């Protein structure tokens, strides 16, 4: 029942922050960037804040110590995409997530991760809130990454109800990603 | 919320810290516990695990005075060889860009270097190596614990986490490979508060600016070398001689090149104090030992490279009975890396009398693991180890210095062949090759066995490696002369060496 509430809320108001699903589940407005902008994703927070329309909407942000999402799509869609803070956060928002979750294990030093990241965001955005994306920086959360058997990055794990349904390593193109995500949402 | 939460936990591999106790049958938790996750510790633990031993490696980085810390991998990966070589490369590329114009490249405008870009790239690479090591440990089934290890008794290790939690592990054998850290000259006022060391330089987010490097070890010269190369005003302050322990003629060529290259040298100088001025710059006062007068200058950074101290103080060694060398503080070890306590071993930088090099630590660690698993009796051979100093003009060597050969065999029993050569690449670039030099120290008469081989020039490490194998095989001057050189290279000059120092003839190579 609460799942229905969540989905209806998604479509009824421009933006909202829900504290009912999970303590720290956040929803933020994401704007799609044009393809060429996706190539030059800054790691710093400055461009994120300048491109957000923050005046009228009550947005709350994740703790600034982790890099913010690497892509900011411009069309107004609601997305559930967040950076994992710690093991507890992972348990709450990923393992115990009501939604199926894509876990994006990435690293600052990983070139291909910078290419895959925005593609994943796009694929997740297309699902209009049916799937969440958890981003794990493997340097910040090495133990977690090792626990999930990550060796090379990017590694993407599809999880539903705390179980690993599927995973892949390396880059996928948009089509392959869409099909991967659809499969996760589908069943 | 609680109703919605289906509690599912992954117990696959928990990382929560548990109290490990000796089980009822009296066996140990581990066959081997390695304290120290650097070049030596990792090699030893992985090898042991591969041989079927149950191994745990404890790695912990005490932050530097400035607060710098890093991941697994030890000094080499994080604050030594790797970042050093990358920054050295950055500096060499700067020189190459200048040379490029003579080779026809149209480079518009003046070339400048951005520290942050280089530092971020280097730091990212180091992080990828930290990750790689974690994956390898996982693959090889070595238990990794990010705890500060210390000995409680000869079979028990205590591990303390950053937050103060403690765990105990028992082990049949314990290996100490905790390495060393840079020393601070604590007797100099302001040294600790205002100076940095090699632990910090590679992790600076912003340029160190005008830098004073105190010391004349290879750490000091290599750092000063790349700082100069990327365009920073750099001064090296030397108390007595450069590169102590290395062939002094070669050391002189290295520093001559650096001076010609733009690094300032303050010879026979001893720093007295470091003060921070209101503008934020550091004012250093030092004594010029030649004149006895005090001098003063300001710098943005002061880098202390005055030696390294072994990490033995917090290991609890005294209590357990592991003997140390009183002067150096390093652990006294036998040829098989054993210490004064039967099942405790030590190797790498921490071992007294051992070379402070990664390859020797790795090899020694692997052999130790094999011996402990009963697979071999082979001991580590610490002789004939080749090294290279990655100063702007690199210096590679294997075997004895000329002084050491003289002292061991007598000046009359050795013959030194030498040559000043010019790398072909320097010609078009109009670069000065005065310090490009080769020296082969041999036994005089008989088979003229090579006792030492020295080379200054570009890519000295690459050049020396191959000759080190010949050296290991007992190469003689005849072998060297019978080897046909590859042309045109700098390395071939080694095969063509024929003028002896004794002859007094001009050793400059002329033409093909």
């Amino acid at each position: 029942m609460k799942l229905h509430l969540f989905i209806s809320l998604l479509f009824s108001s421009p933006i909202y922050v829900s504290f009912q699903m999970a303590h720290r589940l956040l929803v933020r407005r994401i704007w799609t960037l044009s393809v060429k902008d996706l190539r030059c994703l800054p790691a710093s927070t400055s461009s994120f804040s300048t491109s957000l329309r923050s005046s009228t909407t009550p947005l709350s942000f994740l703790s600034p110590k982790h890099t913010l999402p690497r892509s900011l799509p411009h069309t107004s869609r609601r997305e559930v995409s967040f950076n994992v803070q710690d093991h507890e956060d992972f348990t709450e928002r990923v393992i115990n997530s009501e939604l199926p979750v894509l876990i994006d294990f990435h690293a600052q030093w990983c070139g291909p991760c910078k290419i895959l990241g925005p593609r994943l965001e796009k694929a997740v955005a297309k699902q209009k809130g049916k799937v969440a994306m958890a981003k794990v920086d493997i340097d910040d959360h090495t133990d977690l990454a090792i626990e999930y058997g990550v060796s090379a990055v990017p590694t993407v794990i599809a999880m539903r109800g705390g179980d690993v349904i599927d995973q892949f390593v390396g880059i996928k193109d948009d089509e392959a990603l869409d099909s991967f995500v659809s499969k996760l949402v589908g069943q | 919320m609680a109703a919605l939460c289906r509690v599912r936990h992954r117990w696959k591999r928990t990382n929560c810290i548990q109290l490990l106790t000796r089980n009822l049958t009296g066996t140990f938790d581990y066959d081997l516990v390695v304290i120290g996750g650097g070049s030596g510790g990792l090699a030893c633990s992985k090898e042991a695990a591969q041989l079927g031993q149950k191994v745990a490696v404890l790695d912990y980085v005490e932050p530097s005075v400035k607060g710098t810390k890093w991941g697994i991998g030890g000094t080499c990966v994080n604050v030594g060889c790797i970042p050093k070589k990358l920054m050295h490369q950055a500096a060499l590329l700067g020189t190459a860009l200048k040379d490029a114009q003579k080779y026809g490249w149209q480079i518009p405008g003046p070339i400048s270097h951005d520290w942050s870009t280089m530092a971020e790239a280097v730091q990212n690479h180091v992080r990828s190596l930290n990750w790689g090591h974690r994956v390898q440990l996982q693959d090889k089934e070595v238990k990794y614990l990010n705890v500060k290890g210390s000995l409680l008794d000869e079979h028990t290790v205590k591990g303390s986490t950053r937050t103060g939690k403690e765990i105990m592990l028992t082990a049949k054998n314990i290996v100490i490979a905790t390495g060393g850290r840079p020393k601070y000259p604590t007797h100099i006022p302001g040294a600790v508060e205002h100076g940095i060391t090699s632990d910090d330089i590679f992790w600076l987010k912003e340029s160190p600016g005008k830098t004073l490097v105190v010391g004349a070890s290879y750490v000091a010269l290599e750092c000063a070398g790349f700082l100069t190369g990327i365009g920073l005003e750099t001064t090296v302050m030397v108390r007595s001689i450069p590169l102590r322990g290395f062939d002094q003629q070669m050391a002189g060529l290295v520093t001559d090149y650096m001076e010609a290259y733009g690094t300032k040298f303050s010879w026979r100088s001893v720093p007295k104090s470091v003060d921070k001025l209101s503008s934020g710059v550091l004012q250093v006062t030092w004594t010029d030992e030649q004149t006895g007068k005090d001098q003063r200058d300001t710098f943005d950074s002061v880098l202390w490279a005055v030696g390294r101290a072994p990490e033995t103080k917090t290991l609890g060694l005294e209590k357990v009975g592991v003997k140390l060398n009183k002067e150096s503080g390093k652990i006294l070890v036998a040829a098989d890396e054993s210490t004064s306590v039967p099942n405790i071993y030590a190797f790498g930088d921490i071992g007294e009398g051992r070379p402070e090099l990664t390859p020797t630590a790795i090899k020694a660690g692997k052999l130790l693991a094999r011996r402990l698993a009963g697979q071999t009796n082979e001991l580590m051979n610490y002789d004939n180890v080749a090294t290279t100093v990655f100063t702007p003009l690199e210096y590679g060597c294997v075997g004895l210095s000329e002084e050491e050969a003289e002292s061991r065999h007598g000046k009359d029993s050795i013959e030194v062949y030498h040559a000043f050569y010019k790398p072909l690449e320097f010609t078009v670039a109009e670069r000065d090759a005065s310090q490009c030099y080769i020296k082969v120290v041999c036994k005089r008469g008989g088979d003229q066995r090579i006792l030492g081989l020295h080379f200054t020039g570009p890519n000295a490490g690459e050049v020396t490696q191959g000759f080190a194998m010949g050296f290991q095989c007992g190469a003689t001057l005849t072998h060297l002369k019978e080897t046909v050189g590859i042309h045109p290279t700098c390395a071939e000059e080694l095969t063509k060496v024929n003028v002896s120092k004794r002859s007094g003839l001009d050793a400059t190579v002329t033409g093909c």
Side-chain angles (χ1 to χ4, degrees):
Chain A
M1 188 256 156
K2 282 196 176 170
L3 187 59
H4 290 292
L5 179 65
F6 169 72
I7 291 173
S8 63
L9 276 172
L10 268 178
F11 292 107
S12 64
S13 63
I15 207 137
Y16 76 99
V17 177
S18 163
F19 291 104
Q20 293 185 324
M21 278 301 298
H23 294 295
R24 279 168 279 153
L25 189 67
L26 290 179
V27 175
R28 71 164 54 82
R29 182 187 291 245
I30 301 170
W31 292 264
T32 44
L33 286 169
S34 62
V35 174
K36 68 176 192 305
D37 292 337
L38 284 172
R39 297 241 164 249
C40 324
L41 296 164
S44 68
T45 60
S46 57
S47 67
F48 180 93
S49 52
T50 54
S51 61
L52 271 178
R53 280 181 276 142
S54 57
S55 49
T56 52
T57 54
L59 276 174
S60 45
F61 293 93
L62 285 169
S63 121
K65 77 176 162 147
H66 294 285
T67 56
L68 292 165
R70 284 156 290 128
S71 79
L72 307 165
H74 285 300
T75 66
S76 66
R77 303 231 178 124
R78 257 135 259 125
E79 277 319 317
V80 188
S81 170
F82 55 92
N83 286 305
V84 171
Q85 301 293 300
D86 52 38
H87 222 286
E88 232 180 69
D89 187 36
F90 186 83
T91 306
E92 281 197 41
R93 287 204 283 175
V94 179
I95 296 176
N96 296 339
S97 168
E98 273 303 301
L99 293 175
V101 190
L102 274 183
I103 313 167
D104 173 18
F105 290 94
H106 63 90
Q108 222 176 309
W109 39 262
C110 160
C113 297
K114 300 192 191 342
I115 299 173
L116 183 70
R119 285 189 199 168
L120 274 173
E121 300 266 5
K122 212 163 82 175
V124 166
K126 281 192 197 159
Q127 294 298 327
K128 300 198 207 296
K130 288 197 222 133
V131 65
M133 181 153 98
K135 287 177 278 216
V136 180
D137 181 324
I138 63 170
D139 288 332
D140 292 336
H141 309 290
T142 311
D143 289 341
L144 184 62
I146 298 268
E147 197 184 310
Y148 279 87
V150 178
S151 56
V153 276
T155 290
V156 176
I157 290 182
M159 186 179 270
R160 204 192 303 120
D163 294 322
V164 174
I165 304 294
D166 201 354
Q167 67 181 76
F168 69 86
V169 181
I171 305 185
K172 274 200 196 301
D173 61 28
D174 290 326
E175 250 184 69
L177 274 180
D178 283 340
S179 117
F180 183 85
V181 179
S182 302
K183 204 176 112 194
L184 170 65
V185 174
Q187 278 109 344
Chain B
M1 169 68 194
L4 288 174
C5 266
R6 280 162 291 169
V7 177
R8 281 183 205 220
H9 297 284
R10 300 203 81 77
W11 291 116
K12 198 159 68 172
R13 272 176 291 253
T14 66
N15 275 310
C16 48
I17 304 220
Q18 309 158 44
L19 200 66
L20 297 170
T21 52
R22 200 177 295 207
N23 68 32
L24 293 169
T25 63
T27 56
F28 302 105
D29 299 322
Y30 291 96
D31 296 314
L32 181 67
V33 164
V34 179
I35 309 178
S39 305
L42 290 177
C44 184
S45 53
K46 286 189 284 196
E47 185 75 9
Q50 261 182 304
L51 296 171
Q53 306 249 297
K54 190 167 177 217
V55 191
V57 68
L58 276 49
D59 186 63
Y60 187 87
V61 179
E62 195 68 57
S64 75
V65 168
K66 281 279 177 271
T68 313
K69 54 185 204 275
W70 49 88
I72 194 171
T75 298
C76 175
V77 164
N78 296 287
V79 286
C81 329
I82 302 294
K84 175 267 299 279
K85 188 89 191 285
L86 290 171
M87 292 197 177
H88 169 63
Q89 175 66 2
L92 290 179
L93 287 170
T95 312
L97 278 171
K98 294 193 193 101
D99 292 351
Q101 296 180 289
K102 303 250 167 56
Y103 278 91
W105 287 99
Q106 309 290 299
I107 297 173
I111 307 160
S112 65
H113 182 267
D114 176 52
W115 173 276
S116 312
T117 308
M118 173 186 72
E120 199 186 317
V122 169
Q123 288 154 20
N124 278 342
H125 178 67
V126 171
R127 286 191 198 102
S128 74
L129 294 178
N130 295 142
W131 168 253
H133 278 302
R134 287 296 307 273
V135 171
Q136 279 200 347
L137 288 177
Q138 182 73 8
D139 285 347
K140 300 210 153 54
E141 293 177 25
V142 174
K143 177 86 182 160
Y144 160 73
L145 292 159
N146 183 210
V147 294
K148 197 169 163 92
S150 58
L151 301 176
L152 287 183
D153 64 48
E154 62 267 23
H155 288 288
T156 315
V157 176
K158 178 176 83 173
S160 315
T161 69
R162 213 171 278 279
T163 53
K165 262 193 269 197
E166 283 179 4
I167 58 163
M168 309 293 176
L169 302 97
T170 57
K172 182 163 149 228
N173 289 309
I174 298 171
V175 170
I176 301 168
T178 49
R181 294 293 288 266
K183 280 190 203 165
Y184 267 92
T186 48
H187 61 284
I188 297 174
V192 177
E193 303 93 302
H194 307 306
I196 59 171
T197 65
S198 59
D199 278 356
D200 309 296
I201 187 94
F202 304 110
W203 292 92
L204 294 177
K205 291 272 187 284
E206 271 154 33
S207 173
K210 180 180 170 190
T211 308
L212 174 68
V213 179
V214 182
S217 55
Y218 67 81
V219 173
L221 297 185
E222 286 174 344
C223 287
F226 72 69
L227 289 172
T228 306
I230 60 173
L232 300 175
E233 198 185 327
T234 313
T235 306
V236 178
M237 187 165 287
V238 184
R239 186 183 54 188
S240 57
I241 58 167
L243 296 177
R244 185 179 298 275
F246 285 86
D247 185 291
Q248 282 301 292
Q249 181 195 13
M250 305 308 289
L253 292 170
V254 165
T255 52
D256 285 347
Y257 183 93
M258 285 177 73
E259 276 185 293
Y261 190 62
T263 307
K264 298 201 188 99
F265 276 79
S266 188
W267 296 102
R268 299 216 163 274
S269 304
V270 178
K272 258 179 96 168
S273 66
V274 181
D275 300 293
K276 193 161 189 166
L277 302 180
S278 52
S279 57
V281 300
L282 302 174
Q283 183 175 78
V284 181
T285 310
W286 70 89
T287 311
D288 179 336
E289 309 247 279
Q290 270 171 322
T291 61
K293 289 204 172 76
D294 278 2
Q295 309 259 19
R296 195 168 279 172
D297 197 358
T298 53
F299 302 91
D300 296 318
S301 306
V302 175
L303 174 69
W304 302 108
V306 294
R308 293 177 67 82
E311 280 281 273
T312 47
K313 291 174 216 70
T314 54
L315 284 172
L317 296 176
E318 234 183 63
K319 194 164 50 148
V320 178
V322 175
K323 294 205 171 73
L324 306 176
N325 173 299
K326 284 188 181 54
E327 238 180 78
S328 66
K330 293 189 182 183
I331 301 178
L332 292 169
V333 288
D336 63 345
E337 334 304 348
S338 60
T339 65
S340 49
V341 179
N343 68 305
I344 300 180
Y345 300 83
F347 74 98
D349 287 9
I350 202 85
E352 175 62 35
R354 298 293 186 230
E356 289 182 1
L357 297 168
T358 282
T360 51
I362 291 176
K363 190 139 196 269
K366 285 188 178 160
L367 286 173
L368 175 62
R370 281 182 218 154
R371 289 196 303 270
L372 291 177
Q375 299 272 329
T376 184
N377 287 320
E378 192 189 336
L379 296 176
M380 174 66 190
N381 177 8
Y382 287 100
D383 297 326
N384 311 335
V385 174
T387 59
T388 295
V389 181
F390 293 99
T391 34
L393 184 71
E394 296 176 9
Y395 164 39
C397 61
V398 61
L400 305 176
S401 62
E402 191 177 336
E403 306 90 287
E404 185 61 37
E406 262 181 35
S407 129
R408 281 198 206 185
H409 302 272
K411 199 170 178 152
D412 289 335
S413 300
I414 62 167
E415 196 74 81
V416 182
Y417 293 92
H418 67 154
F420 283 95
Y421 70 97
K422 185 165 190 167
L424 180 62
E425 295 80 2
F426 279 36
T427 54
V428 169
E430 292 172 20
R431 278 175 67 186
D432 183 5
S434 317
Q435 291 88 23
C436 292
Y437 180 75
I438 291 163
K439 185 159 76 170
V440 182
V441 181
C442 311
K443 283 221 79 183
R444 194 176 179 190
D447 63 358
Q448 291 190 292
R449 166 102 186 237
I450 299 175
L451 301 168
L453 198 140
H454 304 262
F455 172 94
T456 45
N459 307 303
E462 310 292 354
V463 169
T464 310
Q465 183 69 87
F467 288 100
M469 183 173 97
F471 192 85
Q472 183 73 355
C473 298
T476 63
L477 189 72
T478 314
H479 288 132
L480 193 55
K481 286 178 161 224
E482 280 176 353
T483 308
V484 179
I486 301 170
H487 186 71
T489 62
C490 298
E492 67 172 312
E493 301 299 338
L494 273 149
T495 65
K496 289 148 67 180
V497 78
N498 55 72
V499 176
S500 70
K501 277 197 177 179
R502 187 169 270 119
S503 69
L505 295 169
D506 180 11
T508 313
V509 167
T510 49
C512 277

